[in-house]
Amino acid sequence: MSKRIGRLAAIITATFVLLVANLTYLQFIAASELTAKPENVRPILYEQKFRRGDIISADNKVLATSKKVADSYKRYYAEGSVAAPVTGFYSTKYGRSGLELTFDEQLSGQSYLSSVDAYIKRLLGKDVPGNNLYLSINMDIQRLADKLLGDRKGAVIALNPKTGAVIALVSKPSYNPNDIDNNWSILVKSPDGPMLNRATQGKFTPGSSFKIITAAAALENSILTTDTVFDAPANIKIYGGKVTNYEKKGFGKITFADAFARSVNTVFAQVGKSLGGGKLVDAAENFGFGRKTPFDIPAGISHIPRPSDMDELEVAWMAVGQGRIQATPLTMALACSAIANNGKIMRPYLVEKIQEPNGNVAFQREPRVWLSPIKPETAQVLRGLMEKVVDEGTGKAAKIPGVRVAGKTGTAEVGNGEPHAWFVGFAPAEDPQVLVAAVVENGGTGGRTAAPIAREIMMRVLGAGQ
């Protein structure tokens, strides 16, 4: 009898040990991986019993909150589609996206619980609120950017180039995260791609906005100075093909500074040929192409071909901003920020701080340098070139009375339809406070379509013209 009792005790002990081991694995080893899967809605069903933290803008607008309905909480988005590219969505059917996904542990209170008491309450199934996210997004600027883009497809990013704080991030078309469950099948099947965050994951031919990088590479490698004179015919033959200017216009002899201001393709083709594919690709990678951008929501990797995969003609077109280059608006905004911030690209961010329900600050953002693609002296020269674009070149529509503005337009040929319109720029040029990157799909020329969008946003941020 005593042996039977002993065996039974051993079996019970072994079973208990296995259960503990399995729970330990699920709770502490595999929990993060299992929870992070967007399609895994089981944690969401459990979390609905608890009040999820709020997402709050820099101007104290609650963008996402949880409201109690019967025995559970339902997520509510006050700004709907306007803030959706930032907040993302939270659904019991379709998972999470945007900040709702990236900061799920903090919002749900799975981590950073403020005290042992709160942790015990959560284990006992009692309602312990999650943590609040405080953003760098300013809803006044976000709404303005959304309104300026209107019904057109495209994206707008506004940020502080000195810190990397993103002030506005708009992607059109967008979606209403309040109705995600009802409209899911329509949204995912739409040819317009409303679920694609064009600002961070949309990849576009950058057109002449890329000439910032070509010019930086040429200056850093001492290929030229701003006063170097080039022949600027309407078209130029290279490696059996030709590079042409927009509207097939010739400019005679022209300095590099004037070629930059007027965005002369045939001059930049010559610069690209002098640089060669290797140096041009190296420069693009130094500005963030081919790299994963550290950001608070998923961001795509901008593409540039390998030097060995290009002939001289493709290198020439790449120097112009055409060909197989694919850039996200976020990448182009950050590339431009190197000019505004004396050669340094700050790590971009949306979340300024995370605050626990008891008021404790669990996380406070400290600005950090991400890349240093060029010397401060080169940034200074490029800043002057970009001011000339706005003062007397293709970017005049970005002019602000009484404010020095630096910028670069882009008119990216895309095959069928009108070109994509680009503008990247910042102000004031001598002490940049705001930088804007805008792209309008099939919007025509960057100077006519995208520059006015950037101008209005810069004016609002700076309080100019009021």
Side-chain angles (χ1 to χ4, degrees), residues 177-240:
N178 293 303
D179 299 328
I180 199 76
D181 288 352
N182 295 328
N183 296 330
W184 181 261
S185 61
I186 297 173
L187 291 170
V188 297
K189 293 177 182 175
S190 171
D192 292 333
M195 304 298 286
L196 171 67
N197 191 328
R198 285 170 162 78
T200 61
Q201 295 179 304
K203 295 181 182 178
F204 305 91
T205 303
S208 294
S209 62
F210 187 82
K211 286 172 180 167
I212 292 172
I213 295 172
T214 304
L219 291 166
E220 289 272 302
N221 286 282
S222 301
I223 299 294
L224 50 75
T225 70
T226 57
D227 296 325
T228 301
V229 176
F230 289 85
D231 288 322
N235 63 72
I236 186 170
K237 290 185 178 178
I238 294 180
Y239 201 66

Side-chain angles (χ1 to χ4, degrees), residues 7 65 153 155-156 194 232 239 261 264 291 304 358 368 452:
R7 287 173 186 158
T65 190
K153 294 180 191 174
V156 178
Y239 201 66
V264 181
R291 296 173 184 264
I304 192 159
N358 66 359
R368 292 167 52 192

Side-chain angles (χ1 to χ4, degrees), residues 128-149:
V128 179
N131 305 300
N132 294 334
L133 303 187
Y134 289 83
L135 309 185
S136 55
I137 291 290
N138 180 305
M139 279 311 297
D140 179 48
I141 307 303
Q142 179 81 5
R143 292 191 199 103
L144 175 64
D146 183 90
K147 180 181 176 183
L148 289 168
L149 203 51

Side-chain angles (χ1 to χ4, degrees), residues 24-39:
T24 301
Y25 172 77
L26 292 174
Q27 290 287 332
F28 298 101
I29 299 175
S32 297
E33 182 181 350
L34 294 171
T35 302
K37 291 184 177 179
E39 69 276 14

Side-chain angles (χ1 to χ4, degrees), residues 65 93-94 114 117 127 165 179 190 209 251 298 340 353 357 367 406 417 465:
T65 190
K93 292 183 180 177
Y94 304 110
S114 58
D117 180 58
D127 188 357
D179 299 328
S190 171
S209 62
F251 294 86
K353 71 176 180 181

Side-chain angles (χ1 to χ4, degrees), residues 85-409:
V86 175
T87 61
F89 64 81
Y90 180 87
S91 165
T92 55
K93 292 183 180 177
Y94 304 110
R96 296 144 289 195
S97 71
L99 290 175
E100 294 278 23
L101 172 63
T102 312
F103 290 87
D104 179 60
E105 286 193 354
Q106 291 81 359
L107 287 165
S108 65
Q110 293 178 47
S111 62
Y112 302 116
L113 279 174
S114 58
S115 66
V116 174
D117 180 58
Y119 182 73
I120 293 174
K121 284 182 178 177
R122 177 61 65 89
L123 286 179
L124 294 174
K126 295 184 179 179
D127 188 357
V128 179
N131 305 300
N132 294 334
L133 303 187
Y134 289 83
L135 309 185
S136 55
I137 291 290
N138 180 305
M139 279 311 297
D140 179 48
I141 307 303
Q142 179 81 5
R143 292 191 199 103
L144 175 64
D146 183 90
K147 180 181 176 183
L148 289 168
L149 203 51
D151 294 330
R152 298 172 292 186
K153 294 180 191 174
V156 178
I157 295 176
L159 57 81
N160 183 333
K162 295 181 180 179
T163 64
V166 176
I167 304 165
L169 190 151
V170 169
S171 174
K172 288 289 195 77
S174 185
Y175 62 91
N176 187 344
N178 293 303
D179 299 328
I180 199 76
D181 288 352
N182 295 328
N183 296 330
W184 181 261
S185 61
I186 297 173
L187 291 170
V188 297
K189 293 177 182 175
S190 171
D192 292 333
M195 304 298 286
L196 171 67
N197 191 328
R198 285 170 162 78
T200 61
Q201 295 179 304
K203 295 181 182 178
F204 305 91
T205 303
S208 294
S209 62
F210 187 82
K211 286 172 180 167
I212 292 172
I213 295 172
T214 304
L219 291 166
E220 289 272 302
N221 286 282
S222 301
I223 299 294
L224 50 75
T225 70
T226 57
D227 296 325
T228 301
V229 176
F230 289 85
D231 288 322
N235 63 72
I236 186 170
K237 290 185 178 178
I238 294 180
Y239 201 66
K242 64 181 180 180
V243 174
T244 57
N245 288 332
Y246 185 68
E247 295 184 332
K248 301 177 181 177
K249 186 177 179 181
F251 294 86
K253 289 191 177 297
I254 193 170
T255 66
F256 181 71
D258 285 332
F260 189 90
R262 299 181 186 184
S263 207
V264 181
N265 290 346
T266 52
V267 168
F268 275 81
Q270 295 172 63
V271 174
K273 187 178 177 184
S274 297
L275 277 169
K279 289 179 179 175
L280 199 50
V281 170
D282 286 347
E285 290 177 344
N286 290 340
F287 276 95
F289 280 74
R291 296 173 184 264
K292 183 178 181 181
T293 305
F295 196 39
D296 292 340
I297 56 177
I301 297 176
S302 295
H303 171 74
I304 192 159
R306 304 307 311 158
S308 58
D309 294 335
M310 295 187 286
D311 58 29
E312 286 188 359
L313 180 61
E314 184 166 6
V315 171
W317 272 115
M318 188 174 74
V320 171
Q322 291 288 154
R324 290 183 289 163
I325 317 170
Q326 293 286 289
T328 68
L330 178 61
T331 295
M332 292 312 299
L334 295 174
C336 183
S337 75
I339 318 304
N341 193 37
N342 296 315
K344 297 187 184 303
I345 299 175
M346 304 302 290
R347 180 174 174 153
Y349 65 87
L350 291 164
V351 176
E352 287 276 9
K353 71 176 180 181
I354 300 171
Q355 192 168 46
E356 298 170 340
N358 66 359
N360 287 339
V361 175
F363 169 78
Q364 180 69 56
R365 183 77 66 174
E366 295 292 337
R368 292 167 52 192
V369 174
W370 177 41
L371 298 172
S372 300
I374 52 175
K375 298 188 289 287
E377 306 83 58
T378 304
Q380 189 65 32
V381 173
L382 284 165
R383 189 179 301 193
L385 292 176
M386 292 174 70
E387 279 195 77
K388 191 177 177 71
V389 170
V390 176
D391 288 342
E392 55 190 79
T394 56
K396 291 178 183 175
K399 274 187 178 179
I400 301 173
V403 178
R404 290 169 56 189
V405 179
K408 185 71 190 79
T409 57

